[in-house]
Amino acid sequence: MNVATPSHTLAAPLAGARAHAKARGQRWLTPTTGYIYLIWFMILLDPHRWMAERGPRITAAGGLLPIVAAPLVIVLLARIPVLLGSRNRTVWLPPLLGLIAVVMYTVPSSLYPPHAWNAVKIFIVYYLLAVATFAFIRTPRQVLAIYILYVGQYWWWGWHSGRTGAVWWHPTLANHDTYGPLVLMGLSLCFCFGLSTKSAKYRYGAFFLAVFCSLALVTSFARGVALSFVPVAGMLWWRSPNKGRTSIALVVGILTVVITASLMFEGNAFWKEMESSFTEGTTEGTGGDRWELWRGGMAVFRERPAVGVGAEHFGYYAYQMMVEGKLEMGGVYRWMPEAIRGRQLHNIYVQTLAEHGVMGALFMLLLVADFWRRNMKMRKERFLRYWAEHGGKKFDLRYLAIGLEGAMVAYLATGFFYAQFYLHWFFTLIILNTVMYSAA
């Protein structure tokens, strides 16, 4: 005979389970997660590099990141039984692990192994951060802390750049051509974060940062960024659940750019600079220079098509080929072959092929494909419902996902014009997208 279970016998364990779950949700900040957030803070804001410019006494702070990140190995070793027992292979991010293996494989055969090893070290930091984030950041509230930090970094960069369109103390962002792509990514992240939240302080703060990013697009004076704005704006409008509101915001953004460009630069200098993108072609100016670099990059790729010539080694290898008579280049490189030593390719796609070969390009494609697969899934109803029910209801997951997608489009579009492969942008977007998917 079946006997119904009395309700009071189930009440206690269910209440205990709910209390335990609630307690776990409240303990979003622990010593371990706090340490992981510290690594994110250092990668996104580079405070150690800023400290290194303060004076000779703390110049060593410029190499602080690998030292601070080193204990991640100990943290993960303590977690290794759980990680190995997990059926979720996401925690290991196999495509990134494969890319690191390709990069490490080329170090011994590269022309300057210590130089190539510098790129390997930073790749290892990215990978350790990825695994640690997947292992310990599990709830929507914990993920939101990283997303807010990602958006909040633009307060930091805005404070340091002002109207200059660059960050003078930063080794890469002091270049307008690098700062421009960063603020275009921020335009998508900040705008969508503002749309996602029900909190007034977060909403208006994020919209303010989106306006700043619009202004910085002008002050950076980067033609490739202006061209890349078109696919980013188109994607944001296409993906937006509320196309009317998004259309108004985009019109405001465009008007901000037009008015700022007209007021800041005399004689239509900004518009003439943008026009040169179409008039220079591949025979003069920066267009001609980049065409020669890309042509040289493909020649280097053909020399070692499988795994490439090594991280940040295009310029050195191209110079050696020119000395040996295997490569002829035009422009300034015809008369000054040594000028190509150390040059960047200003194209992440040609650079990946030249320095990491077909294998490296394959792993990059797998990372991009995995990013979009997860990003699209996050917008399904069951993901949205789970996210809202487990601590993320104050932030709409759809807009958060669209913000990441827009940032990735900005990175991939500007990557056609600028050298940014070894910066963290691509890898931190991959990590944040993946951990947000897992939390949802």
Side-chain angles (χ1 to χ4, degrees):
M1 182 177 65
N2 295 328
V3 179
T5 304
S7 60
H8 69 274
T9 62
L10 292 177
L14 286 175
R18 284 194 293 267
H20 177 66
K22 184 177 181 181
R24 285 187 63 189
Q26 290 176 342
R27 294 187 68 247
W28 67 277
L29 183 62
T30 65
T32 303
T33 58
Y35 172 57
I36 293 171
Y37 292 144
L38 173 64
I39 304 300
W40 274 96
F41 177 83
M42 292 187 66
I43 288 178
L44 292 177
L45 277 71
D46 278 339
H48 50 292
R49 297 188 185 277
W50 176 70
M51 291 170 58
E53 296 295 332
R54 298 301 91 193
R57 295 180 181 179
I58 53 175
T59 300
L64 195 60
L65 179 59
I67 297 174
V68 175
L72 279 175
V73 177
I74 301 174
V75 172
L76 291 174
L77 284 176
R79 190 79 173 176
I80 201 70
V82 177
L83 297 178
L84 291 176
S86 174
R87 292 179 296 177
N88 184 7
R89 291 180 295 175
T90 298
V91 74
W92 300 110
L93 203 58
L96 180 54
L97 191 60
L99 179 62
I100 294 174
V102 171
V103 176
M104 293 183 68
Y105 178 80
T106 58
V107 170
S109 61
S110 61
L111 295 176
Y112 302 97
H115 187 66
W117 182 248
N118 289 334
V120 173
K121 286 191 295 186
I122 196 62
F123 270 41
I124 291 175
V125 170
Y126 297 156
Y127 184 74
L128 291 175
L129 176 67
V131 178
T133 301
F134 300 154
F136 293 98
I137 306 298
R138 297 185 294 272
T139 68
R141 187 178 181 186
Q142 290 173 325
V143 175
L144 282 167
I146 299 177
Y147 205 113
I148 291 171
L149 182 60
Y150 217 114
V151 171
Q153 68 173 306
Y154 291 96
W155 286 105
W156 172 258
W157 300 125
W159 176 48
H160 284 283
S161 64
R163 297 178 56 188
T164 64
V167 181
W168 67 267
W169 53 263
H170 199 278
T172 54
L173 298 181
N175 188 330
H176 293 77
D177 285 349
T178 308
Y179 188 70
L182 176 66
V183 294
L184 182 58
M185 293 169 59
L187 178 61
S188 172
L189 287 164
C190 298
F191 174 64
C192 291
F193 184 76
L195 292 178
S196 76
T197 180
K198 299 177 181 178
S199 167
K201 64 177 181 180
Y202 281 126
R203 183 187 307 118
Y204 294 121
F207 285 159
F208 175 84
L209 290 177
V211 173
F212 156 73
C213 290
S214 299
L215 297 174
L217 292 179
V218 178
T219 57
S220 67
F221 211 64
R223 293 174 297 178
V225 175
L227 294 174
S228 301
F229 173 78
V230 177
V232 173
M235 190 284 302
L236 291 176
W237 182 85
W238 182 37
R239 294 294 197 198
S240 176
N242 190 329
K243 289 184 171 52
R245 183 167 56 174
T246 304
S247 299
I248 294 174
L250 290 175
V251 169
V252 171
I254 293 171
L255 289 175
T256 301
V257 170
V258 171
I259 294 173
T260 305
S262 301
L263 294 177
M264 287 193 63
F265 301 99
E266 296 181 359
N268 294 324
F270 179 83
W271 304 114
K272 290 179 180 178
E273 179 70 10
M274 298 303 111
E275 183 184 359
S276 66
S277 301
F278 306 97
T279 58
E280 280 186 355
T282 60
T283 59
E284 58 181 327
T286 56
D289 181 66
R290 287 178 180 176
W291 178 254
E292 288 297 327
L293 290 173
W294 299 346
R295 195 171 61 83
M298 294 307 297
V300 170
F301 162 66
R302 288 190 290 269
E303 284 289 303
R304 294 187 182 181
V307 293
V309 298
E312 298 194 274
H313 263 61
F314 154 73
Y316 301 112
Y317 202 88
Y319 174 72
Q320 179 174 312
M321 290 178 63
M322 293 174 70
V323 171
E324 295 174 353
K326 296 181 180 180
L327 174 63
E328 291 186 7
M329 296 188 65
V332 67
Y333 311 108
R334 180 185 299 275
W335 314 111
M336 297 177 58
E338 63 275 8
I340 203 169
R341 291 169 57 89
R343 280 302 306 271
Q344 297 284 347
L345 272 164
H346 290 277
N347 187 304
I348 60 174
Y349 308 104
V350 179
Q351 185 169 16
T352 302
L353 288 172
E355 298 185 349
H356 307 298
V358 173
M359 292 298 297
L362 175 62
F363 287 123
M364 287 290 292
L365 285 174
L366 289 175
L367 284 170
V368 172
D370 187 67
F371 173 91
W372 253 287
R373 180 180 67 86
R374 297 181 192 279
N375 194 274
M376 293 294 291
K377 275 190 173 183
M378 273 192 283
R379 301 171 213 176
K380 294 186 177 180
E381 185 60 34
R382 63 188 181 92
F383 282 83
L384 302 177
R385 185 168 58 250
Y386 186 93
W387 174 270
E389 292 174 353
H390 290 78
K393 63 181 179 180
K394 292 183 179 180
F395 296 87
D396 191 330
L397 182 61
R398 290 173 300 178
Y399 283 111
L400 295 178
I402 293 171
L404 288 178
E405 184 182 22
M408 181 60 76
V409 170
Y411 173 83
L412 295 175
T414 55
F416 188 79
F417 306 100
Y418 305 117
Q420 53 200 40
F421 179 77
Y422 298 106
L423 301 178
H424 71 78
W425 303 341
F426 176 77
F427 304 99
T428 51
L429 286 176
I430 293 287
I431 298 169
L432 180 53
N433 185 76
T434 306
V435 73
M436 196 161 73
Y437 172 87
S438 298

